[in-house]
């Protein structure tokens, strides 16, 4: 069983998957920073110094100045500002993956579509399939060109 497990781990697909996951986690951190530190501040500035991380609704009916204060008080909150940020993260990741796949598809060599030359023809009299070089149809014995 240990030998089978070792063979499974050493397969190329498992290693490729592990590398992909590690790169994906690192890429996720970069995208999160891009959205949080680069994209959201200008959007917040345009919208009147709005901080998306502090957009929330306290479900206990009380008013809190910040999300941190509401969470410290133990109030249940709907954090729609964080949700908006997560949607923007997703859209950026989806766009980048789309662009990567698009470039990868363009870099791949086009698959040659070779159509095999026909090796048979139909008899004009009985429509039986016969070899191209045949001069007589084996079914109806007619002469064919």
């Amino acid at each position: 069983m240990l030998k089978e497990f070792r063979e499974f781990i050493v397969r190329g697909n498992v290693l490729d998957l592990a590398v992909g996951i590690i790169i994906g986690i690192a890429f996720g951190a970069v995208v999160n920073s891009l959205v949080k530190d680069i994209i959201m501040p200008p959007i917040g500035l345009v919208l009147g110094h709005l901080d998306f991380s502090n957009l929330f609704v306290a479900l206990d009916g009380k008013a809190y100045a910040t999300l941190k204060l509401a969470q410290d008080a133990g109030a249940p909150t709907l954090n729609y500002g964080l949700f908006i940020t997560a949607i923007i993260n997703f859209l950026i990741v989806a766009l980048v993956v789309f662009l990567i796949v698009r470039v990868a598809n363009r870099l791949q060599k086009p698959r040659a579509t070779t159509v095999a030359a026909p090796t048979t023809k139909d008899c004009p009299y009985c429509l039986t399939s016969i070899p191209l070089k045949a001069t007589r149809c084996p079914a109806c014995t007619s002469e064919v060109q």
Side-chain angles (χ1 to χ4, degrees):
M1 184 160 98
L2 201 54
K3 182 180 175 184
E4 287 179 60
F5 180 71
R6 184 178 59 83
E7 289 174 7
F8 171 75
I9 292 298
V10 180
R11 283 189 191 152
N13 293 343
V14 175
L15 294 175
D16 291 343
L17 181 62
V19 169
I21 289 171
I22 291 168
I23 290 174
I25 291 170
F27 181 69
V30 170
V31 170
N32 283 335
S33 176
L34 173 70
V35 169
K36 180 181 173 189
D37 303 327
I38 307 277
I39 294 176
M40 296 309 277
I43 291 174
L45 183 65
V46 168
L47 296 175
H49 299 287
L50 184 63
D51 181 10
F52 279 87
S53 64
N54 276 320
L55 294 178
F56 68 96
V57 173
L59 298 177
D60 64 357
K62 297 178 184 174
Y64 299 95
T66 65
L67 177 61
K68 176 91 171 108
L69 291 174
Q71 289 175 338
D72 289 344
T77 58
L78 290 176
N79 307 323
Y80 64 91
L82 296 176
F83 182 70
I84 291 170
T85 303
I87 289 174
I88 292 172
N89 277 346
F90 170 76
L91 292 175
I92 290 173
V93 169
L95 175 67
V96 170
V97 168
F98 168 75
L99 294 174
I100 290 172
V101 169
R102 187 174 172 201
V103 169
N105 286 339
R106 286 186 179 174
L107 293 177
Q108 286 181 347
K109 293 180 182 176
R111 294 182 183 174
T113 54
T114 57
V115 177
T119 58
T120 60
K121 61 183 175 183
D122 290 337
C123 172
Y125 302 104
C126 68
L127 301 178
T128 302
S129 182
I130 58 174
L132 282 177
K133 293 182 179 181
T135 57
R136 274 196 191 271
C137 175
C140 67
T141 66
S142 299
E143 285 191 29
V144 290
Q145 298 293 336

